[in-house]
Amino acid sequence: MAKGERGTTTRGTTTRGRTAASRRSGSTAGRPDPELIQLLTPEGDRIESVTGPDGVEYRVDFTDAEYREIYRDLVVVRKLDAEATALQRQGELGLWASLLGQEAAQVGSGRALRPQDMAFPTYREHGVLYCRGIDPIMPLGLFRGVDQGGWDPNEYKFNMYTIVIGAQTLHATGYAMGVTMDGKTGGDDSEAVIAYFGDGASSQGDVNEAFVWASVFNAPLVFFCQNNQYAISQPLERQTRIPLYQRASGFGFPGIRVDGNDVLASYAVTRAALDNARHGQGPTLIEAYTYRMGAHTTSDDPTRYRIASEVEAWQAKDPITRVRAFLERQKIADADFFAEVDEAARREAVHLRERVLSMPDPQPLSLFDHVYPGGSPELDEQRAEFGRYLESFEGSAH
Amino acid sequence: MATETLSMGKALNTGLRRALDDDPKVIIMGEDVGKLGGVFRITDGLQKDFGGDRVIDTPLAESGIIGTAVGLAIRGYRPVCEIQFDGFVYPAYDQIVSQVAKMHYRSRGKLALPIVIRIPFGGGIGAVEHHSESPEAYFAHTSGLKVVSCSSPQDAYTMIRQSIASDDPIVFLEPKRRYWEKGPVDTEADYPLHASRVVRPGTDATVLAYGPMVRTALDAATAAAEDGRELEVIDLRTLSPLDLAPVFDSVRRTGRCVVVHEAPSNVGLGAELAARITEKCFYSLEAPVLRVTGFDTPYPASRVEEDYLPDLDRVLDAVDRTFGW
């Protein structure tokens, strides 16, 4: 089975009519949430299936090999992220936006994408990028400052990182409208689109406009909000007074909250929403309820704005340890497997480090490249003038 | 030659229709562009003939219009976005300058966004506030965008088609006060998009204008000729990139230059033009390059807009001053 094609989700009795949403206010760490779709508890107990408040039955039906592979993804993604953080600390990257703690939301949703689906990330979706088959060194060029993201969005079906908060949700909406206009909805082979954003972005006008547009054009789109509880230093309470997934009903499409630290539930919910979209049933908002264990980026200090006990409470819900506990308990994997995965992840990280250190700076004149597809005589003149200036230095290689 | 007499509005409509006909990937999107045909009727009849998927009435959200156009362009479409009025473009400003302008650069050429953003701009129609602004400098300052403005039915027809066919993102400024002025349109005419043009040859001073002020500059030149002064009028047509070779050539001959635009003078196009002309034509100049512009105020109430807008007399006064140096 090809990557991105593993497992199944029972689409069950999908219904657009939703049960009345509860009136609970935003949950906080440690409090169980009855509306949270969960298939694997923090203790590693497997839940066979869950019927969501939307009436959809969520389940996964992975083979043992697939369970092992998804565990491998989680471990590798965390290790690569840790390596990038270390590289930033050593001055090799200008900045890094760590995904620590969000591996399950990203790997679960990323693996739920079918090959033809298109993703529009923020700047933190390193796990989704990995699942799309993109070389993990690619985003490091952006953070090292040697390029602004080097992969081909159309080749990998994964758009460039978007740093302006929420802007990409509109791009995803337009792209999804194009899918519909191309007649690529309505069948199993049809296309769907996923837009990633965070809890902070939910306050942005663009995100709310994207909700309006996706709804009225019935776009084949999944809004995947990783609610990691903080927009830099600002807690969720500064963005919303109701659970974020409940916002969807005001825009006329379903919203659902999933345990974002549960890779199986993240996978099942995303797969179901994507399939609904590709079958012409329009958008869904998924709120992956998770926690950013590290800083927003390497530039901030989370100890200034959150308390240790909160972090500890979330550590108990770690997305990787629960999968490992499950694999051990079910004897799906043994100690040799875990050791092999750790070693493979370590090797990938070492390889990544070696390549980052040898990333060359771009040539000065390359800064004039690709400003306009159609070129610009004025810019050509500036380039030529700057080239002459550089050449005027003794021993210039330019 | 297939020449007909059209108003600028009808010329734009005809050009858009031809673009829709020529390329199935061209789509028009904006507020009220469908059944209503746009508030200025520039898209009149297009939805009826091309359908709601090609001429899309959008929700009332400017950032949404441009942001979804980005996604549609990535998908392979060629969106032509209508912003209803100049003063309403600002909610879309982030999408235009941060996304539309930079996507090609950020992707190192892997993505192109062939988006045209049509904006009826400028004053002179007695509108209420936010309906008469000249935002060109904001966009001309942004690398990755191209900015053009038409001043005649011929250019309106030809330039809108060229802009849609271009892979560059283009802000297309339509001088709304000139929508109803008629002129000949050769529907087969072919000339470069990014090229300024001498619209009236002259020997005594150069007047630079674009969009709505080209008519004003030409009227001033006619009046000046009665006093024995031959003004050369150049329609810049392209505000970014600027095409200044014909301008330098003209100023070197005339030794005098007046720049005319409706936008406020502070950090406006006129400042750029004056600086560039001074750099290149310093020894040919008989007087400083002068600017005739809107004032550094918000666009005023319509009962005093005639005082705000450059007119024939202010242009002639500036020409007089260049001769008095």
Side-chain angles (χ1 to χ4, degrees):
Chain A
M1 187 181 284
K3 280 199 166 186
E5 279 297 297
R6 69 163 69 80
T8 57
T9 302
T10 303
R11 295 187 57 246
T13 53
T14 304
T15 167
R16 302 297 282 181
R18 301 186 60 245
T19 55
S22 85
R23 302 308 303 167
R24 292 190 71 236
S25 61
S27 298
T28 52
R31 201 188 302 165
D33 187 332
E35 296 186 17
L36 199 66
I37 304 297
Q38 193 179 70
L39 294 174
L40 190 61
T41 69
E43 295 72 35
D45 293 327
R46 183 79 173 78
I47 300 159
E48 208 48 44
S49 81
V50 177
T51 300
D54 49 4
V56 178
E57 184 190 5
Y58 296 102
R59 62 163 67 233
V60 292
D61 189 13
F62 287 163
T63 65
D64 287 355
E66 287 164 353
Y67 281 124
R68 286 192 293 267
E69 284 310 298
I70 213 146
Y71 173 80
R72 179 187 300 275
D73 285 346
L74 294 170
V75 171
V76 170
V77 161
R78 175 170 291 185
K79 182 69 180 172
L80 292 174
D81 182 75
E83 190 63 38
T85 301
L87 283 163
Q88 194 282 331
R89 294 298 183 226
Q90 292 159 16
E92 298 296 340
L93 301 179
L95 185 78
W96 183 247
S98 168
L99 60 61
L100 184 65
Q102 299 178 223
E103 297 88 350
Q106 295 199 13
V107 170
S109 63
R111 287 296 177 213
L113 294 164
R114 298 187 192 270
Q116 69 270 26
D117 295 340
M118 180 74 169
F120 286 82
T122 70
Y123 44 80
R124 200 190 297 282
E125 268 67 70
H126 323 306
V128 184
L129 175 139
Y130 183 81
C131 292
R132 292 265 85 183
I134 298 174
D135 185 339
I137 197 165
M138 286 300 186
L140 276 70
L142 173 72
F143 290 103
R144 187 173 169 86
V146 300
D147 61 38
Q148 293 171 321
W151 62 92
D152 184 336
N154 286 312
E155 181 185 351
Y156 292 101
K157 297 278 182 182
F158 184 82
N159 201 52
M160 287 179 298
Y161 279 5
T162 302
I163 291 179
V164 175
I165 302 299
Q168 76 284 357
T169 58
L170 280 169
H171 308 165
T173 305
Y175 189 94
M177 289 166 65
V179 169
T180 304
M181 286 155 62
D182 287 344
K184 296 295 176 82
T185 55
D188 292 340
D189 298 336
S190 296
E191 300 178 38
V193 182
I194 191 166
Y196 288 91
F197 60 104
D199 42 301
S202 71
S203 299
Q204 285 279 355
D206 276 3
V207 172
N208 288 272
E209 290 188 24
F211 288 171
V212 170
W213 284 65
S215 179
V216 300
F217 289 105
N218 201 43
L221 177 59
V222 174
F223 292 106
F224 193 90
C225 176
Q226 287 169 84
N227 175 0
N228 69 12
Q229 313 298 331
Y230 286 90
I232 305 189
S233 69
Q234 294 303 307
L236 184 63
E237 291 72 34
R238 188 53 73 176
Q239 315 297 333
T240 184
R241 289 186 64 176
I242 64 163
L244 288 176
Y245 75 96
Q246 289 180 10
R247 293 249 183 110
S249 67
F251 292 91
F253 53 88
I256 189 160
R257 176 180 277 182
V258 64
D259 181 347
N261 284 17
D262 172 354
V263 69
L264 302 182
S266 294
Y267 175 92
V269 168
T270 310
R271 177 54 71 102
L274 286 165
D275 283 346
N276 275 347
R278 86 180 73 253
H279 282 94
Q281 296 182 59
T284 300
L285 169 62
I286 296 172
E287 178 190 3
Y289 201 75
T290 183
Y291 193 76
R292 167 180 27 97
M293 297 301 295
H296 162 68
T297 69
T298 44
S299 289
D300 70 308
D301 172 10
T303 63
R304 283 176 175 242
Y305 54 79
R306 64 188 189 193
I307 52 172
S309 62
E310 180 183 286
V311 180
E312 282 161 19
W314 278 94
Q315 267 161 353
K317 303 179 189 182
D318 187 89
I320 297 183
T321 53
R322 70 173 77 178
V323 178
R324 182 169 175 142
F326 165 68
L327 295 179
E328 285 173 337
R329 196 169 310 157
Q330 297 299 313
K331 303 203 184 322
I332 294 171
D334 57 18
D336 285 350
F337 169 77
F338 294 119
E340 185 269 314
V341 168
D342 287 344
E343 175 55 20
R346 192 193 66 80
R347 276 199 313 272
E348 276 212 54
V350 169
H351 187 46
L352 183 75
R353 158 175 294 270
E354 289 166 353
R355 291 190 297 154
V356 167
L357 298 180
S358 62
M359 269 180 152
D361 286 349
Q363 290 298 309
L365 289 183
S366 72
L367 64 86
F368 293 97
D369 293 343
H370 306 299
V371 180
Y372 299 95
S376 160
E378 294 218 294
L379 207 54
D380 292 346
E381 208 173 292
Q382 274 187 20
R383 178 210 301 266
E385 205 168 296
F386 189 53
R388 284 191 294 273
Y389 172 75
L390 293 175
E391 280 168 9
S392 72
F393 290 91
E394 200 177 343
S396 167
H398 303 292
Chain B
M1 281 255 295
T3 300
E4 43 192 317
T5 300
L6 299 174
S7 67
M8 180 182 288
K10 185 62 182 171
L12 286 163
N13 178 271
T14 308
L16 290 168
R17 173 176 291 278
R18 180 109 180 246
L20 286 162
D21 251 335
D22 287 348
D23 184 351
K25 290 297 186 185
V26 172
I27 52 174
I28 289 173
M29 50 198 294
E31 296 157 11
D32 309 301
V33 296
K35 277 188 180 167
L36 183 67
V39 290
F40 289 106
R41 309 291 183 267
I42 305 302
T43 54
D44 188 32
L46 299 180
Q47 190 186 64
K48 180 171 151 288
D49 294 339
F50 293 94
D53 278 351
R54 301 285 308 281
V55 182
I56 304 169
D57 273 321
T58 68
L60 204 163
E62 285 78 12
S63 191
I65 293 171
I66 305 300
T68 54
V70 169
L72 281 157
I74 293 172
R75 181 74 192 179
Y77 286 87
R78 305 183 81 84
V80 183
C81 302
E82 178 176 301
I83 297 294
Q84 207 156 59
F85 281 93
D86 33 54
F88 304 159
V89 72
Y90 307 117
Y93 190 67
D94 168 62
Q95 284 287 346
I96 296 172
V97 304
S98 299
Q99 306 297 326
V100 173
K102 298 194 171 75
M103 197 77 84
H104 187 66
Y105 193 69
R106 285 163 54 205
S107 70
R108 304 304 288 157
K110 293 187 178 73
L111 294 180
L113 298 183
I115 297 171
V116 176
I117 301 164
R118 293 181 40 241
I119 309 175
F121 87 118
I125 65 164
V128 299
E129 62 175 349
H130 310 302
H131 289 68
S132 304
E133 303 186 2
S134 300
E136 59 267 32
Y138 300 125
F139 300 114
H141 192 65
T142 300
S143 303
L145 293 177
K146 289 185 174 175
V147 184
V148 302
S149 182
C150 54
S151 69
S152 68
Q154 177 70 66
D155 271 0
Y157 172 83
T158 306
M159 288 171 69
I160 190 65
R161 290 186 56 216
Q162 291 168 328
S163 297
I164 294 168
S166 167
D167 284 339
D168 297 320
I170 293 181
V171 175
F172 191 94
L173 298 167
E174 301 171 1
K176 65 172 89 79
R177 69 196 288 192
R178 308 296 182 201
Y179 273 147
W180 300 276
E181 293 182 11
K182 292 186 175 177
V185 176
D186 173 1
T187 54
E188 300 307 320
D190 187 26
Y191 48 85
L193 172 61
H194 295 287
S196 56
R197 186 157 57 202
V198 175
V199 289
R200 178 183 171 119
T203 50
D204 298 331
T206 303
V207 179
L208 304 182
Y210 54 88
M213 284 293 106
V214 173
R215 175 84 263 149
T216 305
L218 286 170
D219 290 346
T222 302
E226 289 167 14
D227 296 334
R229 263 186 200 148
E230 292 300 332
L231 305 185
E232 179 147 296
V233 178
I234 296 182
D235 179 359
L236 291 167
R237 296 175 70 252
T238 173
L239 312 183
S240 180
L242 286 161
D243 175 35
L244 293 183
V247 173
F248 298 150
D249 175 62
S250 175
V251 173
R252 284 184 187 121
R253 280 188 287 104
T254 64
R256 293 177 169 82
C257 184
V258 172
V259 185
V260 188
H261 61 60
E262 288 187 20
S265 63
N266 188 39
V267 203
L269 252 293
E272 177 68 22
L273 290 160
R276 300 279 286 275
I277 291 165
T278 305
E279 284 174 11
K280 294 286 184 182
C281 308
F282 185 71
Y283 292 108
S284 306
L285 286 168
E286 303 289 341
V289 179
L290 296 185
R291 289 173 285 171
V292 180
T293 69
F295 300 111
D296 294 333
T297 67
Y299 195 88
S302 61
R303 291 299 177 98
V304 286
E305 70 177 343
E306 293 304 328
D307 293 308
Y308 171 90
L309 291 168
D311 62 7
L312 176 155
D313 290 326
R314 278 175 60 196
V315 175
L316 290 175
D317 179 63
V319 170
D320 282 346
R321 279 188 283 135
T322 69
F323 277 92
W325 220 268

